[in-house]
Amino acid sequence: MAADIAALEAALGYEFRAREPLIRALTHKSRAYEQTPPGEDQTDNEQFEFLGDAVLGFVVSDILVRRFPSYREGQLTKLRAQLVSAQHLHEVAVALGLGEFLLLGRGEEMSGGREKKALLADAVEAIIAAAYLDGGIDPARRIVERHVIGEIESLDFAAPGGNDHKSALQQLAQSRKLPPPRYAIVRSNGPEHAKVFTVEARIGPDLVSQAEGPSKKSASQRAARILLEQLLSGRQRG
């Protein structure tokens, strides 16, 4: 178990001062029920899910307000809803390979609990709470920024009228009679459950950008965003 926890800490980018909060965050109620002696309180992750949901909402709200000071409440609410949705948190959990670290009871294990969307999304919230309880708001914020905010950048926030930078770049290049954008994976680093991809976006010989992301899609979108900003600001070379 110790080696597994170390691997998860490496994927999260945070080394816990005490392992107990992280272990509890990974403990499903089915496992706690099986292992808790009669008369004792179960130490599963349900309370951590409750706290993690609140911490996640606060941190995401704080980041969005600071990053987009001109956005109205409705815009911020929509973005926050995307970031804290069960669908997105499930994607975060899959990117982390979180399923393999969960502590499940026999019945939950046999019913495919390691791949259940709701269970994985709840575990992400529990881990955020564990980081908060272990080290305060800063490590919780770093985890949210790296894994929750980081992945959603592919939807991005800054493009007026839309959030698909690759499509926007394609349309702008076509309108300016430029070659179509091309994308290539430059490299990938890290273990299988926590890969970081670097993607190059290129338009012709002079317009080039590179960006990293936890998935090929997010890295491509970030690279496209850089080229889009260059074109719109007139900073292209040549």
Side-chain angles (χ1 to χ4, degrees), residues 28-35 102-116 119:
H28 188 257
K29 62 183 178 181
S30 61
R31 177 67 167 261
Y33 177 78
E34 289 181 0
Q35 297 196 345
L102 296 178
L103 300 173
L104 306 175
R106 290 186 295 273
E108 194 64 49
E109 183 81 59
M110 293 178 64
S111 66
R114 296 186 188 279
E115 298 179 357
K116 290 183 179 179
L119 193 153

Side-chain angles (χ1 to χ4, degrees), residues 19-37 40-52 102-105 108 119 122-123 125-127 129-130 133:
R19 290 281 176 81
E20 288 78 7
L22 180 56
I23 292 173
R24 180 170 177 179
L26 298 169
T27 303
H28 188 257
K29 62 183 178 181
S30 61
R31 177 67 167 261
Y33 177 78
E34 289 181 0
Q35 297 196 345
T36 303
E40 294 188 12
D41 293 335
Q42 291 185 201
T43 53
D44 56 56
N45 63 6
E46 285 194 346
Q47 278 196 347
F48 279 25
E49 294 168 19
F50 171 78
L51 176 59
L102 296 178
L103 300 173
L104 306 175
E108 194 64 49
L119 193 153
D122 289 344
E125 292 179 336
I127 286 174
L133 292 171

Side-chain angles (χ1 to χ4, degrees), residues 34-236:
E34 289 181 0
Q35 297 196 345
T36 303
E40 294 188 12
D41 293 335
Q42 291 185 201
T43 53
D44 56 56
N45 63 6
E46 285 194 346
Q47 278 196 347
F48 279 25
E49 294 168 19
F50 171 78
L51 176 59
D53 177 69
V55 174
L56 175 63
F58 165 72
V59 170
V60 167
S61 297
D62 181 58
I63 291 172
L64 293 180
V65 167
R66 293 174 187 274
R67 189 176 294 185
F68 308 109
S70 64
Y71 276 29
R72 307 298 296 174
E73 180 184 2
Q75 293 172 290
L76 295 171
T77 299
K78 182 178 179 180
L79 292 175
R80 183 179 61 190
Q82 291 178 313
L83 288 162
V84 305
S85 69
Q87 175 62 38
H88 180 58
L89 294 181
H90 172 250
E91 293 170 359
V92 171
V94 171
L96 286 167
L98 192 55
E100 66 183 273
F101 300 102
L102 296 178
L103 300 173
L104 306 175
R106 290 186 295 273
E108 194 64 49
E109 183 81 59
M110 293 178 64
S111 66
R114 296 186 188 279
E115 298 179 357
K116 290 183 179 179
K117 179 178 176 179
L119 193 153
L120 288 169
D122 289 344
V124 173
E125 292 179 336
I127 286 174
I128 292 169
Y132 171 73
L133 292 171
D134 182 72
I137 196 65
D138 287 342
R141 183 185 181 96
R142 290 199 300 271
I143 289 173
V144 172
E145 285 185 313
R146 178 173 178 177
H147 299 288
V148 180
I149 300 288
E151 180 65 22
I152 206 68
E153 288 287 344
S154 63
L155 298 179
D156 187 349
F157 307 133
N163 52 31
D164 185 348
H165 294 295
K166 292 180 69 174
S167 295
L169 182 62
Q170 175 84 20
Q171 294 170 8
L172 184 59
Q174 184 176 0
S175 70
R176 296 190 179 184
K177 302 187 185 306
L178 296 171
R182 299 189 181 278
Y183 302 89
I185 300 172
V186 176
R187 58 183 172 273
S188 62
N189 299 313
E192 287 300 322
H193 61 271
K195 286 282 190 185
V196 176
F197 295 90
T198 302
V199 170
E200 177 185 276
R202 176 183 292 272
I203 296 179
D206 298 319
L207 270 173
V208 183
S209 69
Q210 288 189 5
E212 294 183 346
S215 68
K216 298 172 187 177
K217 177 182 177 181
S218 63
S220 298
Q221 288 284 0
R222 292 173 185 178
R225 176 182 178 179
I226 294 171
L227 285 191
L228 188 62
E229 291 175 347
Q230 289 179 11
L231 281 171
L232 291 173
S233 65
R235 294 198 305 267
Q236 65 266 35

